[in-house]
Amino acid sequence: VIDTRPGAGATLGHALAAKSAPDGYTLLLATAGGLSTGPALMGSKIPYDPLKDFAPIGLATYVPYALAVTAGLPARNVKELVELAKASPGKLNVASPGVGTPNHLGAAQLMTLTGIELVHVPYKGSTLALTDVIAGNVQMVVTGLLQLLPYHQAGKLRILAISSTKRSPVLPDVPTVAQAGVPGYELTSWYGVLAPANTPAAIVNTLNAEIVKALNTSEVRARLSGEGAEPVGDSPAEFQSYIRSEIDKYAKIVGALGIGAQ
C-alpha cells in the first residue's frame, strides 16, 4: 500500500514514517529532499533526526535532475536561456516543490553560476510545480529526469540539459548543464529505503537482501535504466554513511547561498 504524503520538501512524509511502528511493515521511500536538503535547511526545527530516527535499509537508485522549460519558451539550449534571462532580469519564473528542496537549490546554483535573476515559485509538491510548467504558467523547472522524460517525449516541455556530471543514456544527445556552458554545475537526486528507528536488525537485513536481489535482476535494471535512473543496492551501513555525507554537502550549499526555511 503506497501512502503518498507530499509537502514541505518531502519532510511531511518522512516525519510520518519516523513515527511509525518499527515492525518492518511501514517503510519509507526516502528522497534527498527529506533526508539531506530538508535537515540542512531547517536544522533543529525539522520534526525528526535523519540519522537517529530511521534504520537505513539501502540506497536504491541515483536519479539525475534536468533543466526543462515550457514548450513555448524561445530557448532551445542553456545558452539561449541564459541570454533570455539576462535580457529580462526577474521576468522568468522557476518552479520548485518548496524552498530549500534540491530543485530550488539547483535553480539557485544556476543563478549563482550564470549571474541571471529568476523568480523562485515554490509549490506544495513537485506534481503541482511540473503541471504549471507544462501549462506555461511558469517558464522552467529543475527536477528529476524521471518526471520530465514522458512530457519531453510528448513535446509538452523541453529538456535543455542534464544536471548530473554525465549525460543520460536515455537522452544521449542532451548535454549536461556543465557541457552546455555552466562549468561546475552538478545536481543529482536519489531514492533509498528506510524503516523507523529500532526496527530489528534481522528485519533490516532481510529487507536489504530482497531489495538488492530485485535491483540486480535484468528486468528491474532495464526498467530503471530506461527511465534514466542508475540502480545501486548498497548495505545499510553504506547508506547511513551516504546520508551523512549528503547532509554535510547540502549544509554547505545552503550556507553559501544564504537560503532560509519559509
Side-chain angles (χ1 to χ4, degrees):
V1 177
I2 300 173
D3 185 0
T4 303
R5 297 293 184 103
T11 60
L12 294 183
H14 287 61
L16 180 66
K19 297 179 177 64
S20 299
D23 55 11
Y25 289 100
T26 298
L27 304 178
L28 171 66
L29 181 61
T31 66
L35 281 188
S36 53
T37 62
L41 181 75
M42 299 172 67
S44 61
K45 295 180 181 179
I46 202 164
Y48 54 88
D49 186 316
L51 295 173
K52 295 180 180 179
D53 291 343
F54 299 101
I57 296 173
L59 181 62
T61 64
Y62 291 122
V63 182
Y65 272 56
L67 169 63
V69 298
T70 187
L73 194 72
R76 311 298 301 186
N77 52 55
V78 174
K79 180 181 178 181
E80 292 180 0
L81 176 64
V82 171
E83 291 174 348
L84 187 64
K86 287 185 174 180
S88 303
K91 298 297 183 181
L92 297 182
N93 298 326
V94 57
S96 88
V99 174
T101 57
N103 318 64
H104 178 204
L105 297 181
Q109 285 187 74
L110 183 65
M111 288 189 278
T112 299
L113 293 173
T114 61
I116 62 176
E117 180 184 345
L118 305 172
V119 177
H120 175 228
V121 183
Y123 287 79
K124 293 181 179 179
S126 58
T127 300
L128 293 175
L130 190 55
T131 297
D132 259 12
V133 174
I134 293 170
N137 298 324
V138 183
Q139 286 76 46
M140 69 187 79
V141 67
V142 178
T143 195
L145 179 60
L146 297 184
Q147 290 180 293
L148 294 171
L149 196 56
Y151 302 106
H152 171 79
Q153 293 169 336
K156 295 183 178 180
L157 52 73
R158 188 182 312 117
I159 295 176
L160 299 186
I162 305 300
S163 299
S164 57
T165 57
K166 59 183 179 180
R167 298 193 184 203
S168 169
V170 298
L171 290 174
D173 295 332
V174 176
T176 67
V177 177
Q179 290 172 340
V182 188
Y185 188 97
E186 188 272 328
L187 183 72
T188 302
S189 185
W190 48 266
Y191 292 95
V193 183
L194 300 95
N198 299 318
T199 298
I203 293 177
V204 170
N205 292 333
T206 296
L207 290 169
N208 173 267
E210 291 300 320
I211 290 171
V212 170
K213 179 181 177 181
L215 287 170
N216 283 325
T217 63
S218 57
E219 180 183 0
V220 172
R221 297 187 73 85
R223 174 68 180 271
L224 291 174
S225 299
E227 294 182 349
E230 178 184 341
V232 184
D234 60 2
S235 70
E238 289 171 328
F239 188 26
Q240 177 81 340
S241 178
Y242 180 71
I243 293 170
R244 189 183 300 276
S245 68
E246 284 284 282
I247 292 173
D248 292 342
K249 178 181 77 174
Y250 281 110
K252 293 177 181 178
I253 293 175
V254 168
L257 296 176
I259 298 172
Q262 295 181 1

